[in-house]
Amino acid sequence: MYGSSLSTLGEFGLIDLIRTRFPQPSPPELGIGDDAALLVPAPGRQLAVSTDLLAEGVHFDRSCGPDRLLGRKSLAVNLSDLAAMGAVPRWFFLSLALPAGFPLAGIEAILDGLAEQATDHGCLLAGGDTCGSKSGLVISVTIMGEQVPELLVTRSGARPGDDIWVSGTLGDAALGLTILMQNHTGLADGSAAEFVVSRHLDPTPRCRLGQRLAESGLISAMIDISDGLLADLGHVCRQSGCGAEVWLKELPRSPAFEELAGVFPDYPWHLAAAGGEDYELCFTAAPEQRAAIAGVGKNTGIPLTVVGKVTRSFGRVQAIMPDGSLFQPPASGYTHF
């Protein structure tokens, strides 16, 4: 139907291929097909907008996993940004830069993964762009969500004395990437390795949890953990004018992480504290809210753990080892430059 190659398909054929795979906004809204999309937020709601770009050779290696999972992840990282503000996903825009000769089967698999993730979260494709690439594949997604203005959570509300919480478990994605990149002997196979690799290739955005936390009014600040807990917590501290102390012994680690940790000469605290790409939520709240917050976790089925406290030391994030000594990570988290 579309030809056997990207060059045969052409730009407009590619756009048509994309459009047929995604439901479109309904009137009075307008999606793909015009110079701009026309979108209508619900009455009394404020828009939250986020953009993420994934570049081949920087953010992903296509040989590490199926293209379908790459499609899922390219939307998941944007959904996670909305989750961190408590916003409800509504629309997204997709831009693709494709190298000459990129296989149509790969494009279709990426679109399949995107469509799965969009359907799971009720998010509609409203537009985007396509072009050629003289290097690798580039996937750029801009997402738009909405929420009642007073319920939106930012990074700037943490206060000294607040608890620091995280959702789920930490370090799995970084350990999964380590396995993929270094292929540690004895780690390539087995259910534990498969679990942590899947956490890297197919992260789960905590949208429902983020919305419930925002609607509860219990928390003071929130961020998603994309660059590593210590680095992302540093963003909260700078925006809030405070500091943080993290207790490594309290960091939640999965059974798979614990099983695989023994292959390292030293316990891999750096993966849990600074590894990145967990796409869990980190948030702060007053200590008297602990019971109520635990109830939110129970209702959403996602474990929530207190891992530290907010301090008065502006911009300073300290991590404390189980023996009480100061942890010195090889890096505080991922940085592009």
Side-chain angles (χ1 to χ4, degrees):
M1 178 179 178
Y2 295 106
S4 58
S5 68
L6 185 56
S7 59
T8 302
L9 183 64
E11 179 182 3
F12 295 108
L14 176 57
I15 294 172
D16 188 44
L17 172 63
I18 293 171
R19 176 168 34 200
T20 59
R21 286 174 175 263
F22 294 88
Q24 289 296 288
S26 301
E29 296 181 344
L30 179 66
I32 297 173
D34 222 302
D35 291 301
L38 302 177
L39 306 174
V40 183
R45 301 285 179 117
Q46 186 171 351
L47 288 178
V49 184
S50 180
T51 296
D52 273 293
L53 181 151
L54 300 182
E56 187 171 6
V58 178
H59 301 98
F60 65 88
D61 182 335
R62 286 186 63 225
S63 68
C64 288
D67 286 323
R68 182 181 66 83
L69 296 187
L70 177 58
R72 286 182 58 84
K73 186 172 183 176
S74 64
L75 186 53
V77 300
N78 287 266
L79 287 163
S80 185
D81 286 333
L82 291 188
M85 301 196 78
V88 179
R90 286 291 306 277
W91 311 279
F92 73 101
F93 294 79
L94 170 66
S95 294
L96 294 172
L98 296 160
F102 195 90
L104 285 184
I107 296 173
E108 291 183 304
I110 290 169
L111 296 177
D112 285 343
L114 277 160
E116 289 173 9
Q117 198 75 273
T119 298
D120 288 346
H121 295 278
C123 198
L124 296 177
L125 178 64
D129 195 14
T130 60
C131 70
S133 170
K134 293 187 177 181
S135 53
L137 170 67
V138 178
I139 306 174
S140 178
V141 173
T142 296
I143 196 165
M144 303 177 73
E146 60 183 21
Q147 184 55 276
V148 176
E150 55 266 29
L151 295 183
L152 286 166
V153 184
T154 68
R155 302 174 179 181
S156 61
R159 297 292 179 262
D162 280 357
D163 290 330
I164 299 169
W165 293 76
V166 298
S167 65
T169 57
L170 303 184
D172 295 324
L175 181 51
L177 178 61
T178 299
I179 292 172
L180 289 171
M181 294 293 98
Q182 300 182 10
N183 193 20
H184 278 296
T185 302
L187 293 185
D189 301 307
S191 59
E194 291 171 1
F195 173 80
V196 297
V197 166
S198 72
R199 289 269 284 160
H200 171 72
L201 296 176
D202 190 16
T204 301
R206 302 299 192 185
C207 294
R208 182 167 173 260
L209 173 63
Q211 293 163 34
R212 296 296 177 270
L213 288 169
E215 291 163 0
S216 73
L218 298 170
I219 68 176
S220 53
M222 186 157 58
I223 192 170
D224 72 321
I225 304 174
S226 56
D227 296 328
L229 174 62
L230 300 184
D232 289 315
L233 192 52
H235 298 320
V236 172
C237 290
R238 284 186 289 276
Q239 292 290 331
S240 297
C242 59
E245 182 178 286
V246 175
W247 312 314
L248 296 192
K249 67 178 180 179
E250 302 299 334
L251 296 187
R253 287 97 65 197
S254 69
F257 185 96
E258 294 292 82
E259 178 181 332
L260 298 170
V263 76
F264 293 85
D266 298 303
Y267 191 86
W269 288 114
H270 61 288
L271 297 180
E277 295 216 301
D278 292 304
Y279 296 104
E280 296 291 350
L281 296 178
C282 172
F283 58 94
T284 58
E288 56 265 28
Q289 305 295 359
R290 286 186 184 181
I293 289 173
V296 174
K298 183 177 181 180
N299 290 336
T300 57
I302 300 170
L304 303 177
T305 307
V306 176
V307 298
K309 65 180 180 180
V310 178
T311 68
R312 297 185 180 278
S313 302
F314 175 72
R316 185 182 183 188
V317 178
Q318 290 191 116
I320 309 300
M321 293 281 284
D323 64 4
S325 63
L326 192 63
F327 174 62
Q328 298 290 347
S332 62
Y334 182 77
T335 177
H336 286 276
F337 304 107

